[in-house]
Structures are given as C-alpha cells and as structure tokens.
C-alpha cells in the first residue's frame, strides 16, 4: 500500500510539471481504434480541450497526462505509452504483469472486429475473422465455445434471431464436433417457430452425442406436436 501511494505521489508530481495540452500532431496520430484483444476495441479520442479520452467496454475513461506520450489511467491503475510511429500503445511494465508485455495495435481505416461484423449482419466477414483468430491462437477466450454460445443466447433474448443464428453457426464452424453448438442452433430455430430446422439441428446434436438431454427433450416435444 505504501509503495502504491509513493508511486502515485511521484506520478502526480511529474504530471504537475507536464503540459496538459496535447499537440495537434500527437492528436492526429494517436486518435483511432486499437485492439484490446482480438475481438475488443479501445477507442482513443480527444475532447475540445485536447485532452485524451478512452472508450472501453462502454466506459468513458479520462487518463492523466504524464508526459508527451504517456498517460495514467486511474480506473485501471495502468500507464499507457503511445508509440505513434508504430501505431501502437503499450502498457508500462510493472510487477503485476509478471514480465508480460501488453501491446495494443491500431486498427487500419475501415477495419472491424468479428463481433462488429456480426452486429452489422455480415456473417461471412465475421466467420472469416473468428477463423483467423482461432488459427492464430486456438486457446484465446475470444473464441471460446461457451463465450460465443453466451453471445448467441444474448441475441436470442433480444429477439435478434438472424444475429443469434449467425453466432451459433459460427460456433458450429469452429467446433463441428460439439453437440451443444447444434443444440443451441435448434433452440434458436425453435424460438423462431421454424420447426423443420429446429428438428434438423436437434438431430445433428444427438448424432454427435446421443445423451444430450436438452436435445432429446426438445426433439420429443417438437415431434409430438407434429403428430397431433
């Protein structure tokens, strides 16, 4: 605790001796969108007083300027170091990082994340994006099956059926041997009252795992209704 207070005191002293205004050149080069991870963005903007602002996970953050390229984010207890020549932001090293280096690269103009493509209904681009992420790092939480499944059900609860189906079908592409991905797609079609497709996907789920209770119950319910 004492070390942290000493660090903050020293930081505030440095800040007080630094110009609070950012140069027009820095603003032009630093502004933009940066990858926080393969499917998440940090947006860098500047207000009318030329002060740096961050938007991340629906939060508006107001970093304190340390020097011409460094800013301290109180909410995260992290210092960001801008390297505008290489279009990236780095986290300053500290003990909690355990020797890891965190670098956030700037997106090119018009570049989007897979989830952004999904949100605008561009299934093909979203699928290509998620496949590229899996090829680069198959263990990243960004493409974890249950995380995508959760996203699909979130769309489904909001009655955004096309988006939900797209997410579930992407999950099928990424995890073709998972019974649960087909079961979730069946749930989406059931909510859409598309019985034929729902039955098809529940059967596919059971072909992979005959003990999938969710698919069994859903299939029995749908087929009994068809027989009535």
């Amino acid at each position: 605790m004492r070390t942290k207070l000493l660090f903050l005191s020293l930081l505030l002293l440095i800040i007080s001796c630094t110009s609070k205004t950012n140069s027009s050149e820095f603003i032009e080069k630093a502004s933009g969108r940066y990858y926080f991870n393969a499917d998440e963005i940090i947006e860098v903007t500047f207000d009318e007083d030329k002060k740096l602002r961050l938007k991340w996970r629906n939060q508006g953050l107001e970093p304190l300027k340390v020097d011409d390229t460094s800013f301290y984010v109180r909410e995260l207890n992290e210092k960001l170091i801008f390297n505008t020549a290489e279009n990236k932001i780095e986290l300053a090293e500290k003990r909690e990082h355990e020797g890891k280096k965190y670098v956030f690269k700037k997106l090119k103009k018009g570049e989007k994340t897979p989830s952004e493509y999904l949100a605008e209904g561009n299934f093909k681009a979203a699928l290509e994006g998620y496949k590229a992420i899996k090829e680069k790092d198959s263990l990243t939480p960004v493409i974890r099956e249950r995380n995508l499944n959760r996203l699909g059900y979130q769309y489904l609860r909001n009655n955004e059926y096309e988006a939900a189906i797209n997410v579930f079908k992407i999950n099928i592409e990424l995890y073709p041997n998972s019974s649960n991905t087909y079961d979730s797609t069946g749930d989406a079609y059931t909510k859409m009252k598309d019985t034929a497709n729902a039955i098809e996907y529940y059967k596919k789920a059971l072909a992979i795992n005959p003990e999938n209770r969710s698919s069994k119950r859903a299939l029995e319910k749908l087929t009994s209704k068809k027989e009535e």
Side-chain angles (χ1 to χ4, degrees):
M1 184 65 178
R2 183 179 298 174
T3 303
K4 186 176 179 180
L5 287 173
L6 183 60
F7 169 74
L8 289 174
S9 300
L10 182 59
L11 189 63
L12 289 171
L13 179 62
I14 295 171
I15 291 168
S16 66
C17 300
T18 303
S19 171
K20 294 181 180 179
T21 304
N22 294 293
S23 70
S24 298
E25 182 184 4
F26 177 77
I27 290 172
E28 182 182 354
K29 291 182 177 180
S31 296
R33 289 157 27 96
Y34 296 76
Y35 282 109
F36 176 72
N37 59 41
D39 198 34
E40 205 172 351
I41 296 299
I42 299 174
E43 187 172 359
V44 175
T45 60
F46 293 81
D47 65 17
E48 57 187 15
D49 295 320
K50 297 186 176 182
K51 290 182 180 179
L52 186 143
R53 297 289 179 260
L54 301 179
K55 186 176 180 182
W56 175 68
R57 293 183 176 176
N58 297 317
Q59 297 180 70
L61 307 179
E62 301 181 7
L64 298 172
K65 185 175 180 180
V66 179
D67 57 40
D68 287 342
T69 58
S70 303
F71 298 80
Y72 176 67
V73 186
R74 288 174 294 189
E75 296 88 346
L76 306 177
N77 189 28
E78 299 284 0
K79 186 169 78 168
L80 306 182
I81 302 171
F82 282 78
N83 183 337
T84 55
E86 297 183 16
N87 290 320
K88 65 183 182 182
I89 303 171
E90 298 178 16
L91 287 189
E93 292 183 7
K94 65 177 188 179
R95 186 172 54 189
E96 290 87 337
H97 294 164
E98 298 179 353
K100 294 181 181 178
K101 192 169 186 178
Y102 293 91
V103 179
F104 311 130
K105 294 183 179 179
K106 192 175 186 179
L107 279 74
K108 297 174 184 176
K109 189 175 181 180
E111 189 176 358
K112 297 177 182 178
T113 65
S115 59
E116 287 175 325
Y117 282 122
L118 262 179
E120 66 182 29
N122 192 337
F123 170 77
K124 184 178 178 181
L127 176 58
E128 288 175 355
Y130 282 120
K131 280 184 172 180
I133 291 171
K134 186 175 183 181
E135 187 175 340
K136 187 175 181 180
D137 181 6
S138 62
L139 299 179
T140 176
V142 168
I143 56 159
R144 196 169 286 162
E145 181 187 339
R146 66 172 178 267
N147 291 347
L148 287 172
N149 208 49
R150 192 182 302 120
L151 176 62
Y153 277 107
Q154 183 179 317
Y155 278 124
L156 199 58
R157 285 192 296 272
N158 294 332
N159 297 323
E160 297 178 64
Y161 300 128
E162 184 179 353
I165 291 291
N166 283 343
V167 174
F168 292 140
K169 286 188 174 180
I170 284 171
N171 227 1
I172 287 173
E173 288 279 348
L174 297 177
Y175 303 99
N177 298 318
S178 168
S179 176
N180 188 53
T181 59
Y182 292 94
D183 178 76
S184 297
T185 311
D187 288 349
Y189 280 120
T190 298
K191 191 167 182 182
M192 293 169 66
K193 301 188 186 304
D194 185 342
T195 303
N197 271 316
I199 288 174
E200 178 187 346
Y201 277 90
Y202 288 133
K203 284 182 176 179
K204 287 180 177 179
L206 289 169
I208 295 171
N209 177 16
E211 302 305 316
N212 189 321
R213 294 180 182 178
S214 173
S215 291
K216 274 185 179 180
R217 288 194 298 267
L219 189 59
E220 287 171 2
K221 188 175 180 180
L222 289 176
T223 51
S224 64
K225 280 186 177 180
K226 285 189 71 175
E227 292 169 359
E228 290 176 358

